[in-house]
Amino acid sequence: MIGLNRSLEIVWRYLPALLQALPTTLYMLIISVVIAAVLGFFFAWAKLGKNPILKAFSSVFISFMRGTPMMVQLLLIFIWVPVICNRHGITTSDWNPMIYALVAFSLNMAAFFAEIYRSAYMGLDYRQIEAAQSLGMSSPQIFKRVILSQGAASALPNFTNMSLELMKNTSIAAIIGVYDILGKAQQLVKNNYGVGQFELYITVGVIFWIMGLIILFVSNLATKRLNRGNSNVHSGKVLQ
């Protein structure tokens, strides 16, 4: 009982400090996912397109970003972006390290999202597209009612899984001075010479677990809604 009370005291003492780092984690996650979602679309479009230069560039980019550790990518961006900027007269000494983390995370996720988009597009039911065309729908209408709805329902589970992976990997930003919840816990452990590290890491794990459950819950709701819409498409309700 004494040990449990001590553990609860440690958690209660340091929980506010951990929660102060929560906005940093959420900010890196949300901004990176939004940027990556847009970039991934263009990389998928380039890889599916007929332009050989864009297709080759997209293929190499996706292969490199998926095949190398995110920490290596972060360090390369952290080292080389200032070098390139300084050569062009742009001062980066006052830049927030968060910028490098967002760039690295966004580019990394864009490569994975591009493959998710491409896979979803390749799996589309083209009979629905032909049916929409036969009914005189415009290209924007076909994209919104058929391609986007079917593709989103197929891509969303993998999209969510990759977002969860990024949420857990934001802690690597600590190597360039950006501290999320885990980075903050590591700071606290170091400052206290390892005292309470078990309680702190358990608390961090529970916080990440809760965030993951919330993301999965929202994703599942969205997927069910999209699948209901697709059922209407297959039954002809949307196309009429």
Side-chain angles (χ1 to χ4, degrees):
M1 183 62 67
I2 296 177
L4 178 60
N5 290 336
R6 177 181 175 278
S7 295
L8 292 175
E9 180 183 349
I10 292 173
V11 172
W12 186 253
R13 183 192 311 164
Y14 293 114
L15 183 60
L18 294 176
L19 293 179
Q20 285 179 356
L22 180 59
T24 300
T25 300
L26 294 176
Y27 182 81
M28 287 193 289
L29 174 63
I30 294 172
I31 298 300
S32 298
V33 166
V34 170
I35 295 175
V38 177
L39 291 178
F41 176 83
F42 287 103
F43 283 118
W45 169 80
K47 192 169 182 178
L48 289 167
K50 297 181 179 180
N51 187 306
I53 297 177
L54 290 178
K55 191 169 186 176
F57 175 79
S58 178
S59 297
V60 171
F61 172 83
I62 292 173
S63 177
F64 178 81
M65 299 305 288
R66 295 180 68 197
T68 56
M70 188 184 292
M71 183 178 294
V72 172
Q73 298 165 15
L74 176 59
L75 290 173
L76 288 175
I77 290 172
F78 183 68
I79 294 170
W80 284 105
V81 167
V83 172
I84 295 173
C85 289
N86 291 336
R87 287 180 178 176
H88 292 81
I90 302 174
T91 302
T92 60
S93 57
D94 57 346
W95 283 17
N96 190 321
M98 176 76 76
I99 295 175
Y100 303 107
L102 292 176
V103 171
F105 295 156
S106 298
L107 291 178
N108 179 273
M109 286 293 103
F112 287 93
F113 288 168
E115 285 298 284
I116 292 172
Y117 293 155
R118 188 178 69 88
S119 177
Y121 179 79
M122 298 296 290
L124 286 175
D125 184 355
Y126 288 97
R127 291 174 299 178
Q128 294 296 324
I129 298 177
E130 293 173 353
Q133 291 172 336
S134 68
L135 291 174
M137 281 190 176
S138 64
S139 296
Q141 287 177 317
I142 293 174
F143 178 80
K144 178 181 178 181
R145 297 188 179 186
V146 182
I147 297 177
L148 185 60
S149 62
Q150 292 186 19
S154 175
L156 188 54
N158 290 329
F159 190 95
T160 302
N161 288 336
M162 291 310 307
S163 299
L164 289 173
E165 286 299 312
L166 176 60
M167 180 189 72
K168 293 181 288 186
N169 288 330
T170 53
S171 58
I172 69 172
I175 64 175
I176 62 171
V178 181
Y179 296 97
D180 72 336
I181 299 175
L182 181 56
K184 186 64 176 179
Q186 291 172 332
Q187 276 189 321
L188 293 172
V189 169
K190 182 178 180 180
N191 293 339
N192 289 280
Y193 302 101
V195 176
Q197 58 182 337
F198 177 79
E199 291 82 0
L200 281 169
Y201 289 140
I202 284 291
T203 304
V204 169
V206 171
I207 293 173
F208 274 111
W209 181 37
I210 293 173
M211 289 194 297
L213 290 175
I214 294 172
I215 293 173
L216 284 173
F217 177 75
V218 174
S219 175
N220 288 336
L221 286 179
T223 301
K224 290 179 180 178
R225 183 176 182 132
L226 289 170
N227 285 331
R228 282 201 300 268
N230 289 336
S231 297
N232 290 334
V233 170
H234 290 299
S235 65
K237 295 178 181 179
V238 173
L239 295 180
Q240 291 176 352

